[in-house]
Amino acid sequence: MEFASDNMVGAHETILTAITEANGGPAASYGYDRWTKQAEAALSEVFEREVAAFLVLTGTAANALALSAICPPYGTVLCHAEAHIHTDECGAPEMFSGGARLTGLPGPQGKLVPNSVERWLDGLIRGEHEAKPVALSITQTSEFGTVYSVAEVSEFGHLCKQRQLRLHMDGSRFANGVAALGCTPAEITWKAGVDVMSFGGTKNGAMALEAVIFFDLALAQDFRYRRKRGGQLLSKGRFLGAQMQAYLRDDLWLQNARHANRMASLLAAKLTEIKRIRLPLPTQANEVFAILPRSLHLQMLDNGAHYYEWPSGENLETEECLVRFVTSFRTTPEDVERLAELAGKLAKQSRAPSAEGAPTVGL
Amino acid sequence: MEFASDNMVGAHETILTAITEANGGPAASYGYDRWTKQAEAALSEVFEREVAAFLVLTGTAANALALSAICPPYGTVLCHAEAHIHTDECGAPEMFSGGARLTGLPGPQGKLVPNSVERWLDGLIRGEHEAKPVALSITQTSEFGTVYSVAEVSEFGHLCKQRQLRLHMDGSRFANGVAALGCTPAEITWKAGVDVMSFGGTKNGAMALEAVIFFDLALAQDFRYRRKRGGQLLSKGRFLGAQMQAYLRDDLWLQNARHANRMASLLAAKLTEIKRIRLPLPTQANEVFAILPRSLHLQMLDNGAHYYEWPSGENLETEECLVRFVTSFRTTPEDVERLAELAGKLAKQSRAPSAEGAPTVGL
Amino acid sequence: MEFASDNMVGAHETILTAITEANGGPAASYGYDRWTKQAEAALSEVFEREVAAFLVLTGTAANALALSAICPPYGTVLCHAEAHIHTDECGAPEMFSGGARLTGLPGPQGKLVPNSVERWLDGLIRGEHEAKPVALSITQTSEFGTVYSVAEVSEFGHLCKQRQLRLHMDGSRFANGVAALGCTPAEITWKAGVDVMSFGGTKNGAMALEAVIFFDLALAQDFRYRRKRGGQLLSKGRFLGAQMQAYLRDDLWLQNARHANRMASLLAAKLTEIKRIRLPLPTQANEVFAILPRSLHLQMLDNGAHYYEWPSGENLETEECLVRFVTSFRTTPEDVERLAELAGKLAKQSRAPSAEGAPTVGL
Amino acid sequence: MEFASDNMVGAHETILTAITEANGGPAASYGYDRWTKQAEAALSEVFEREVAAFLVLTGTAANALALSAICPPYGTVLCHAEAHIHTDECGAPEMFSGGARLTGLPGPQGKLVPNSVERWLDGLIRGEHEAKPVALSITQTSEFGTVYSVAEVSEFGHLCKQRQLRLHMDGSRFANGVAALGCTPAEITWKAGVDVMSFGGTKNGAMALEAVIFFDLALAQDFRYRRKRGGQLLSKGRFLGAQMQAYLRDDLWLQNARHANRMASLLAAKLTEIKRIRLPLPTQANEVFAILPRSLHLQMLDNGAHYYEWPSGENLETEECLVRFVTSFRTTPEDVERLAELAGKLAKQSRAPSAEGAPTVGL
């Protein structure tokens, strides 16, 4: 019952096969091989326009490199306070940009809202005594499993144009967002005003694969220097190219994402039926957030369920906790069924002692 | 006839098999999986002492991260002027260290000599107006295919201790050096005074695998923060762990290196017999450097040989050029034979027109 | 009626005289002159122990350099959300530290409270995925004119020891704090656990003078490299040394601060008597914060008063604004009298139209 | 007999008077005062066009900030191997640029030559594996007291345009160069292709005064952020403005420089007459380099002469050393006379013992 993260499962078999097939014979190194060239072209097809695509190895590097191309050291990037770049990358954006600052703003359901961005910008009064706002970053799918609609991204696109900000999209779960929206990749990115994105593969079936994609080609001009200098230019680059080819071929990336999303919907539906569990957030992609009694949570872990408690800004009851379930291309309906059954069974059992007034927290 | 680089061939089949085998079932992410744990332990065995090992994805990152742990931003790292960190990493050491400087010193056959290091240190007279020398980096095997003996490394070890410098070894071709020397990994590293090294796998049969290894464990204290921040913490870390396990198991790493070294010896022996080619450097590991007429060089390329011309500080004759042949675990005796035959055949032919006075340079 | 900032007045005459007197004859450059040597010794006397003191030119540089000595690039410095280092230095701490992060925490009256620091530290659950907390910075006198007592600083000192954090004090208005507390400089710094401080001169009568002072001498070991590299080593260093000598001689620094503090007290007392003005913060040093109707504020500016509106997190009435008055060594009782009289007079006048219901906001 | 450096003398009296006069009354801080505004305008007049001028406090900061505006972190700045930015600023350019690299090239008499720059650029073959050349920096007056002619600077200007490099001039002794050439400031800077310069005041009579001057105004767009972030925005900015006003008024800067240059000429003429001393470099500005027996050098120091031995790449005789004499606005003909007399007297005396075969080196 593995629901801890979509990076805890291995790679999709098609990806591994592609790696193996790419192994024969010599090939140009450092991304000049034919797999990489074809993968870059395939990305342009996916986005229905010429893009400048750069394959890299980790999501943190993809984000940090992308931001370094749009944010000078004296600049600041606005993002959600719970954005991965703000809370989970140990200052990689600061390092790759040469010391730029991230400004974390609040927003409901893990999503930034244009209003609070505008208000923050309007509150700047110190001129050069403060970092210059130069970019905005949104995460699609957000860190709370919610999805920005095309209209919402477009609103940010307009705001950025007006305010002379660059718009970055952290797309480590981009596939899940596209699958959820049923839109084209183009509609939710450059057509909506996105300048540069991190296009994730690892969480959705690849082994180690991310791409930095520039829609504004001018921004990409010297990016190959940044990638090399950032330690992200793989010498045996064919293995990145081969992964990306397989990831895009026959829409594997969307198939994987759709499957994961379906599994999350299924799980959400089943958990909703359990009385002692409530879902504080809509389940739009492949993450289900739930609030449940801590005692129930601990029993579930004891019984083999694997998932994480999540830091909560919400005002929970003392005995409650917030948890996150993530589904992946590997999750089966049976996995979901087993987890839901376990939760249902334990929820019924634990209600009894709780009614007897026995303290259940801290077990 | 692929002799351009040891990173132009794919991965060893054993490595790929290990990756595939590691693919089943869920596993802890970010290097807390069992493959990685076992690989780290195996590295301690290889070096016959407890080491702090950190798996990363590229050699440039391994070097830059390692140096960042021993060199503050106001420091300088002494290295050979032709060291990879100095000429081929686009400033990654500067970036990862926060702006430290590399000081490139000359040295015969691609190797630093303690004397010139001492002289440089003794010439410092400006105090805080110059970067503080804090570390020394040597490359084993060197960028010119030469190998530092245990005595030579030890001499640097002593020098560093006396001068309060940390000693780093760029071991992207460490295996070839160990294979050439016939010593133990311990003898040529920590026993000789090395504090931290980059232990390379990619050039020697892995897909994407390097390790930063600290022999002075205190230096490793916060290194996990640096690795994450540097974008080198792979989420599906099992795939690095599995590569390293396979790389070390049954001495695959040494077998691969020994084979590549043998192929280079063979090639050197054969090229030496060709009159119009001379070898300016001893062939000690898996690289053969040769000086030959540019006309011959161009004909070889035309006839399917693949290898690189190399920047030469040497005073070559106008019509000559320096070239580099690299052998790998994939190189076969037949490959060598074919290359040597081609060279021999063309060398004979081209002598004729040249004797007729026809200009051959610049073809 | 200049109350905008203590940096808008010139330098104290004694300081200028000292500069002029230091001008004769040659002197060693880069801080090896006798004025600087004596100034450094005088700082050790002021703090009743050997300190490592480094004269620099601006407060921003003093803070950023000091923090760079205690915070590695992957670290974070905890500070008040309204701390000068967080809001007014355009990322200098990030730049000088090589990309470290500042974590701004809330706290009443401009002061951090140990509780919220502890809670933040206890909430860290992501290991190397988040910046490592390595230091705490408090501002004495705080950005809201409030003063940390010896007991309060000591509490932070203990907390830092327990949590293995370094304690930095931004003392750009240190003199005002010491004057307010009536304690010794030693008591409120190293005896209370401070490791390093920025000792300000410019705001309190110097022309351009700050010092970074290390109480933990080991931290200062390579600091001279950082100062030079940071562009803060003045070649004609005698002019910094002479300022510091004059600043400390006969307690000029404390006299200036006491005077400024008295003027602020006087102003606070007078403003309190005006019905339409209220003081939301205690006046403990040389800053008076007041809340008043925006209409009154605008009339005061129109009538020649010079001071700043201040960003307010407080929930003010729509028509109100928060303003800051700063007094300095130059402020006279007559200046205070004139400002208070103007405010009193305008407050009475403006009440009438306001009573008539005329909208006064937005004039 | 002070000839060690032009930064060992104090400030010119006119500068100090201007500082004192600027001290009365309140003034806007952070460079928005009228002295600074007028100084900035005066610089535009000096250069006969609109320039973007930023006053800062030290020459190292001026250079590092200027370079940071034209060189991204992955770039490299070409300069003379003996350039101040390369040998005397402890990595400040690296720090302020976020890790860019300086590439030091050789050149006779302390001056870069276009040829060697071109050759270096043509030798680049590694693409993104090497730092990208983006800028060239020349020092006027050079570190060896030589002066680039208008034609020479123009040649670099052309080269930079062709090669898409930005041209920076380190003008810490710019005044001496202009005085030597008798040209206008415009002719030797923007008319010759310079994009940005450091305009020095401190070495030539100011107390602490440098300016970063952009001729390409677009480059200056966000520079005020960089200055603040770099700790170089003085709060009591009037004291920089007042210095610059006085420095430019009535051509004080050129008068000071002309005087210093004349004193150097005088010294050179006198030293040339002494048989055991020879001048390896032309004396074009305010520095005289001399080669003399080490024994003579040591005797001069013993007899009260103060100046520095200089690192020499030249092949000197074993018993010889290279020394540098610097003259300043303070140097008098009598100072020069005394030094030359001492040298002459000692040179005659020391010849005798030397003739007797007594070893004199190493005393």
Side-chain angles (χ1 to χ4, degrees):
Chain A
M1 284 180 286
E2 179 59 55
F3 290 87
S5 178
D6 30 14
N7 62 32
M8 289 205 173
V9 298
H12 193 277
E13 282 62 29
T14 307
I15 300 284
L16 283 187
T17 302
I19 287 175
T20 304
E21 288 177 358
N23 196 40
S29 47
Y30 298 116
Y32 293 97
D33 60 276
R34 64 184 166 85
W35 294 268
T36 300
K37 290 296 165 202
Q38 289 170 15
E40 290 166 358
L43 282 164
S44 284
E45 267 180 59
V46 163
F47 285 99
E48 302 174 55
R49 62 166 287 169
E50 191 191 350
V51 301
F54 297 84
L55 306 188
V56 298
L57 291 149
T58 68
T60 290
N63 283 331
L65 281 168
L67 293 174
S68 78
I70 56 174
C71 185
Y74 53 81
T76 187
V77 178
L78 308 187
C79 62
H80 194 280
E82 300 294 326
H84 196 269
I85 57 172
H86 195 243
T87 65
D88 270 285
E89 302 187 352
C90 197
E94 286 92 331
M95 172 179 165
F96 282 68
S97 66
R101 181 181 286 192
L102 301 177
T103 297
L105 299 175
Q109 302 193 340
K111 288 159 67 179
L112 266 182
V113 279
N115 244 2
S116 71
V117 171
E118 301 247 36
R119 213 174 322 124
W120 188 87
L121 290 169
D122 292 340
L124 290 173
I125 56 166
R126 291 180 165 106
E128 71 250 45
H129 296 253
E130 286 180 279
K132 183 182 180 183
V134 298
L136 184 75
S137 177
I138 54 177
T139 310
Q140 179 79 309
T141 306
S142 88
E143 286 76 8
F144 282 90
T146 50
V147 176
Y148 289 95
S149 70
V150 172
E152 285 172 330
V153 176
S154 297
E155 206 179 344
F156 281 114
H158 287 302
L159 188 160
C160 286
K161 213 145 275 166
Q162 276 182 336
R163 301 287 193 147
Q164 300 193 305
L165 305 177
R166 293 290 185 178
L167 183 52
H168 169 256
M169 180 178 279
D170 174 356
S172 78
R173 290 192 183 96
F174 181 68
N176 302 96
V178 171
L181 291 168
C183 66
T184 66
E187 284 165 353
I188 196 68
T189 56
W190 62 273
K191 288 187 175 173
V194 174
D195 295 298
V196 57
M197 79 176 296
S198 309
F199 179 86
T202 312
K203 283 184 159 70
N204 189 35
M207 187 174 73
L209 175 68
E210 312 286 324
V212 178
I213 297 179
F214 291 92
F215 303 110
D216 180 339
L217 299 188
L219 293 175
Q221 202 191 334
D222 284 343
F223 193 74
R224 61 198 179 101
Y225 290 95
R226 291 195 186 271
R227 179 174 58 175
K228 171 61 190 173
R229 173 178 164 84
Q232 291 289 322
L233 181 58
L234 186 59
S235 62
K236 296 184 176 174
R238 64 169 92 180
F239 293 116
L240 285 177
Q243 284 185 75
M244 185 59 88
Q245 279 192 302
Y247 185 62
L248 299 179
R249 197 183 299 131
D250 302 330
D251 281 348
L252 175 64
W253 67 296
L254 287 174
Q255 288 178 40
N256 281 356
R258 281 186 206 118
H259 174 82
N261 288 4
R262 272 195 304 268
M263 293 302 103
S265 290
L266 187 61
L267 178 59
K270 289 186 178 294
L271 292 180
T272 306
E273 291 167 14
I274 300 171
K275 280 198 183 137
R276 305 188 68 217
I277 297 180
R278 68 183 196 276
L279 307 193
L281 292 162
T283 299
Q284 298 175 340
N286 69 321
E287 293 172 285
V288 182
F289 285 82
I291 294 172
L292 72 175
R294 183 170 296 279
S295 57
L296 174 55
H297 166 53
L298 294 172
Q299 283 176 301
M300 286 178 67
L301 297 184
D302 278 352
N303 282 272
H306 193 221
Y307 60 89
Y308 288 139
E309 184 176 349
W310 211 248
S312 168
E314 287 219 24
N315 286 330
L316 300 182
E317 298 294 314
T318 326
E319 299 187 12
E320 288 183 334
C321 63
L322 177 70
V323 304
R324 185 189 76 164
F325 302 98
V326 190
T327 56
S328 77
F329 71 95
R330 277 253 199 276
T331 311
T332 63
E334 291 72 34
D335 292 335
V336 172
E337 190 63 45
R338 270 202 297 152
L339 184 78
E341 256 179 43
L342 176 66
K345 197 183 71 182
L346 293 172
K348 274 187 202 154
Q349 288 173 359
S350 62
R351 227 177 341 190
S354 177
E356 287 166 3
T360 55
V361 179
L363 291 179
Chain B
M1 284 180 287
E2 179 59 57
F3 291 86
S5 178
D6 30 14
N7 61 31
M8 289 204 173
V9 298
H12 194 278
E13 284 62 30
T14 306
I15 300 284
L16 282 187
T17 303
I19 286 175
T20 305
E21 288 177 358
N23 196 40
S29 48
Y30 298 115
Y32 293 96
D33 60 276
R34 63 184 168 82
W35 293 267
T36 300
K37 291 295 164 200
Q38 287 171 16
E40 289 167 359
L43 282 164
S44 284
E45 267 181 58
V46 163
F47 284 100
E48 303 174 54
R49 61 165 289 168
E50 191 191 349
V51 301
F54 297 83
L55 305 188
V56 298
L57 290 150
T58 68
T60 290
N63 283 332
L65 281 169
L67 293 174
S68 77
I70 57 175
C71 185
Y74 53 82
T76 188
V77 177
L78 309 185
C79 61
H80 194 280
E82 301 294 326
H84 196 267
I85 56 171
H86 195 242
T87 66
D88 271 285
E89 301 187 352
C90 196
E94 286 91 333
M95 172 179 165
F96 282 68
S97 66
R101 182 181 285 192
L102 301 176
T103 298
L105 300 175
Q109 302 193 342
K111 287 159 67 178
L112 266 182
V113 279
N115 244 2
S116 70
V117 171
E118 302 247 34
R119 213 175 322 123
W120 188 87
L121 290 169
D122 291 340
L124 291 173
I125 55 166
R126 291 179 165 107
E128 71 251 44
H129 296 254
E130 287 181 280
K132 183 182 180 183
V134 298
L136 184 76
S137 177
I138 55 178
T139 309
Q140 180 78 310
T141 305
S142 90
E143 287 76 8
F144 283 89
T146 51
V147 176
Y148 289 95
S149 70
V150 172
E152 286 172 329
V153 176
S154 298
E155 206 178 342
F156 282 113
H158 287 301
L159 187 160
C160 286
K161 213 145 276 165
Q162 278 182 335
R163 300 288 191 145
Q164 300 192 306
L165 305 176
R166 293 290 184 176
L167 183 53
H168 169 256
M169 179 177 279
D170 174 356
S172 77
R173 290 192 183 95
F174 181 69
N176 303 95
V178 171
L181 292 168
C183 67
T184 66
E187 283 165 355
I188 196 67
T189 56
W190 63 272
K191 287 187 176 174
V194 174
D195 294 298
V196 56
M197 80 176 295
S198 309
F199 179 86
T202 312
K203 284 184 159 70
N204 189 35
M207 187 175 73
L209 175 69
E210 311 287 323
V212 178
I213 297 179
F214 292 93
F215 303 110
D216 181 338
L217 299 189
L219 292 175
Q221 202 192 334
D222 284 342
F223 193 74
R224 61 197 178 102
Y225 290 95
R226 292 194 185 273
R227 179 174 56 175
K228 170 62 190 172
R229 174 179 164 83
Q232 291 289 323
L233 181 58
L234 186 59
S235 61
K236 297 184 175 174
R238 64 169 92 179
F239 294 115
L240 285 177
Q243 284 184 75
M244 185 58 88
Q245 280 192 302
Y247 186 62
L248 299 179
R249 197 183 299 132
D250 301 330
D251 281 348
L252 175 63
W253 69 296
L254 287 174
Q255 288 179 41
N256 281 356
R258 280 187 205 116
H259 175 82
N261 289 3
R262 272 195 304 268
M263 292 304 102
S265 289
L266 187 60
L267 178 59
K270 289 188 176 295
L271 292 180
T272 307
E273 290 168 13
I274 300 170
K275 281 202 183 134
R276 306 188 66 218
I277 297 181
R278 68 182 196 278
L279 308 193
L281 292 161
T283 299
Q284 297 175 341
N286 69 322
E287 292 172 286
V288 182
F289 286 82
I291 294 172
L292 72 175
R294 183 170 295 279
S295 58
L296 175 53
H297 166 54
L298 295 171
Q299 284 176 298
M300 285 179 68
L301 296 184
D302 279 352
N303 283 273
H306 193 221
Y307 59 89
Y308 288 139
E309 184 176 350
W310 212 246
S312 167
E314 285 219 25
N315 287 330
L316 300 182
E317 298 295 313
T318 327
E319 301 186 11
E320 287 182 334
C321 61
L322 177 69
V323 304
R324 184 189 77 163
F325 302 98
V326 190
T327 56
S328 77
F329 72 96
R330 278 253 198 275
T331 311
T332 62
E334 291 71 34
D335 293 334
V336 172
E337 190 62 45
R338 271 201 298 152
L339 183 80
E341 257 180 42
L342 176 66
K345 197 183 73 183
L346 293 172
K348 274 186 202 153
Q349 288 174 359
S350 63
R351 227 173 346 185
S354 176
E356 287 166 2
T360 55
V361 179
L363 289 179
Chain C
M1 283 180 288
E2 178 60 55
F3 290 87
S5 178
D6 30 13
N7 62 31
M8 289 204 172
V9 299
H12 194 278
E13 284 62 29
T14 306
I15 299 283
L16 282 187
T17 303
I19 286 175
T20 305
E21 287 176 0
N23 196 40
S29 47
Y30 297 116
Y32 292 96
D33 61 276
R34 63 184 167 82
W35 293 268
T36 300
K37 291 294 165 203
Q38 287 170 17
E40 289 167 358
L43 281 165
S44 284
E45 269 180 57
V46 162
F47 284 98
E48 303 174 55
R49 62 166 287 168
E50 191 191 349
V51 301
F54 298 83
L55 305 187
V56 299
L57 290 151
T58 67
T60 290
N63 283 332
L65 280 168
L67 293 175
S68 78
I70 56 175
C71 185
Y74 53 81
T76 187
V77 177
L78 308 187
C79 61
H80 193 281
E82 300 295 326
H84 196 268
I85 56 172
H86 194 242
T87 66
D88 272 284
E89 301 187 352
C90 196
E94 284 91 332
M95 172 179 164
F96 282 68
S97 66
R101 180 180 286 190
L102 301 177
T103 297
L105 299 175
Q109 303 192 342
K111 288 159 66 179
L112 265 183
V113 280
N115 244 2
S116 70
V117 172
E118 302 247 35
R119 212 173 324 123
W120 189 87
L121 290 169
D122 291 339
L124 292 172
I125 54 165
R126 291 179 166 107
E128 70 251 44
H129 296 253
E130 287 182 280
K132 184 183 180 183
V134 297
L136 184 75
S137 177
I138 55 177
T139 310
Q140 179 79 307
T141 306
S142 89
E143 286 76 9
F144 282 90
T146 50
V147 176
Y148 289 94
S149 69
V150 172
E152 285 172 330
V153 176
S154 297
E155 206 178 342
F156 282 112
H158 286 303
L159 187 160
C160 286
K161 213 144 277 164
Q162 277 181 335
R163 299 288 192 146
Q164 299 193 306
L165 305 177
R166 292 290 184 177
L167 184 52
H168 169 255
M169 180 177 278
D170 173 356
S172 78
R173 291 192 183 96
F174 181 68
N176 303 95
V178 171
L181 291 168
C183 68
T184 66
E187 283 164 354
I188 196 67
T189 55
W190 61 273
K191 288 186 175 173
V194 174
D195 295 298
V196 56
M197 79 176 297
S198 309
F199 179 86
T202 311
K203 283 185 160 69
N204 189 35
M207 188 173 74
L209 176 69
E210 311 287 324
V212 177
I213 297 179
F214 290 92
F215 302 111
D216 180 338
L217 300 189
L219 293 175
Q221 202 191 335
D222 284 342
F223 193 74
R224 60 198 179 100
Y225 289 94
R226 292 195 185 269
R227 179 174 58 176
K228 170 63 190 172
R229 173 177 165 83
Q232 290 289 323
L233 181 59
L234 186 59
S235 62
K236 296 184 175 174
R238 64 168 93 180
F239 293 116
L240 284 178
Q243 285 185 74
M244 186 57 89
Q245 280 192 302
Y247 185 63
L248 299 179
R249 199 184 297 131
D250 302 330
D251 281 348
L252 175 63
W253 69 296
L254 286 174
Q255 288 179 41
N256 281 356
R258 281 185 204 118
H259 174 82
N261 288 4
R262 272 196 303 268
M263 292 302 101
S265 290
L266 188 59
L267 178 59
K270 288 188 179 295
L271 292 181
T272 307
E273 291 168 14
I274 300 171
K275 280 198 183 138
R276 305 188 69 218
I277 297 179
R278 68 182 196 276
L279 308 193
L281 292 162
T283 299
Q284 297 175 341
N286 68 322
E287 291 173 286
V288 181
F289 285 82
I291 294 171
L292 73 175
R294 183 170 295 279
S295 59
L296 175 54
H297 166 53
L298 294 171
Q299 283 176 302
M300 287 179 67
L301 297 184
D302 278 352
N303 283 271
H306 193 220
Y307 60 88
Y308 288 139
E309 185 177 349
W310 211 246
S312 168
E314 287 219 23
N315 286 330
L316 300 182
E317 298 293 313
T318 326
E319 301 188 11
E320 287 183 336
C321 61
L322 176 70
V323 304
R324 185 190 77 163
F325 303 98
V326 190
T327 57
S328 78
F329 72 96
R330 276 255 199 277
T331 311
T332 62
E334 291 72 34
D335 292 335
V336 173
E337 189 63 47
R338 271 202 297 153
L339 183 79
E341 257 180 40
L342 176 66
K345 200 182 70 182
L346 293 172
K348 274 186 204 154
Q349 290 174 359
S350 61
R351 228 173 345 183
S354 176
E356 285 166 3
T360 54
V361 179
L363 290 178
Chain D
M1 283 178 290
E2 178 60 55
F3 291 86
S5 178
D6 30 15
N7 62 32
M8 290 205 172
V9 298
H12 194 278
E13 282 63 29
T14 305
I15 299 283
L16 282 187
T17 303
I19 286 175
T20 305
E21 287 177 359
N23 197 39
S29 46
Y30 297 115
Y32 292 97
D33 62 275
R34 63 183 167 83
W35 293 269
T36 300
K37 291 294 165 203
Q38 288 170 15
E40 289 166 358
L43 282 165
S44 283
E45 268 180 57
V46 163
F47 283 100
E48 304 174 55
R49 61 166 289 167
E50 191 192 349
V51 301
F54 297 83
L55 305 188
V56 299
L57 290 150
T58 68
T60 290
N63 283 333
L65 280 169
L67 294 174
S68 77
I70 56 176
C71 185
Y74 53 82
T76 187
V77 178
L78 308 187
C79 61
H80 194 280
E82 300 294 325
H84 196 268
I85 56 171
H86 195 242
T87 65
D88 271 285
E89 302 187 352
C90 196
E94 285 92 332
M95 172 179 166
F96 282 68
S97 66
R101 180 180 287 190
L102 302 176
T103 297
L105 300 175
Q109 303 192 343
K111 288 160 65 179
L112 265 183
V113 280
N115 243 0
S116 70
V117 172
E118 302 247 35
R119 212 173 323 122
W120 188 87
L121 289 169
D122 291 339
L124 291 173
I125 55 165
R126 291 180 165 106
E128 70 250 47
H129 296 253
E130 286 182 280
K132 183 183 181 184
V134 296
L136 184 76
S137 176
I138 55 177
T139 310
Q140 179 79 307
T141 308
S142 90
E143 287 76 9
F144 282 89
T146 50
V147 177
Y148 289 94
S149 70
V150 172
E152 286 171 329
V153 176
S154 297
E155 205 177 343
F156 282 113
H158 287 303
L159 187 160
C160 285
K161 212 144 278 166
Q162 278 181 334
R163 300 288 191 146
Q164 300 193 304
L165 305 176
R166 294 289 184 178
L167 183 53
H168 169 256
M169 180 177 279
D170 174 357
S172 78
R173 289 190 184 97
F174 181 68
N176 302 96
V178 172
L181 292 167
C183 67
T184 66
E187 284 164 354
I188 196 67
T189 55
W190 62 273
K191 287 186 176 174
V194 174
D195 294 298
V196 56
M197 79 176 297
S198 309
F199 179 85
T202 312
K203 284 185 159 70
N204 189 36
M207 188 173 73
L209 176 69
E210 311 287 323
V212 178
I213 296 179
F214 291 91
F215 303 111
D216 180 339
L217 300 190
L219 293 174
Q221 202 191 335
D222 284 342
F223 193 74
R224 60 198 178 100
Y225 290 95
R226 292 194 185 270
R227 178 174 60 175
K228 170 62 190 172
R229 174 177 163 85
Q232 291 289 323
L233 180 59
L234 187 58
S235 61
K236 296 184 175 173
R238 64 169 93 179
F239 294 116
L240 285 177
Q243 284 185 75
M244 185 58 88
Q245 278 192 301
Y247 185 63
L248 299 179
R249 197 183 298 132
D250 302 330
D251 280 349
L252 175 63
W253 69 295
L254 286 174
Q255 288 179 41
N256 281 357
R258 283 186 203 117
H259 174 82
N261 287 4
R262 273 196 303 269
M263 292 303 102
S265 289
L266 188 60
L267 178 59
K270 288 187 180 294
L271 292 180
T272 306
E273 292 168 14
I274 300 171
K275 281 199 182 138
R276 306 189 66 218
I277 297 180
R278 70 182 196 276
L279 307 193
L281 291 162
T283 298
Q284 297 175 341
N286 69 322
E287 293 173 285
V288 182
F289 285 82
I291 294 171
L292 72 176
R294 184 170 294 280
S295 58
L296 174 54
H297 167 53
L298 294 171
Q299 284 176 301
M300 286 179 67
L301 296 183
D302 279 352
N303 282 272
H306 193 220
Y307 59 90
Y308 289 139
E309 184 176 348
W310 211 246
S312 168
E314 287 220 21
N315 288 330
L316 301 182
E317 299 293 313
T318 326
E319 300 188 12
E320 286 182 336
C321 60
L322 176 70
V323 304
R324 185 189 76 162
F325 302 98
V326 190
T327 56
S328 78
F329 72 94
R330 278 254 198 275
T331 311
T332 63
E334 292 72 34
D335 292 336
V336 172
E337 190 61 47
R338 272 201 297 153
L339 183 78
E341 257 181 42
L342 176 66
K345 199 182 70 182
L346 293 171
K348 275 185 202 156
Q349 289 174 359
S350 62
R351 229 173 343 184
S354 177
E356 284 166 6
T360 55
V361 178
L363 288 179

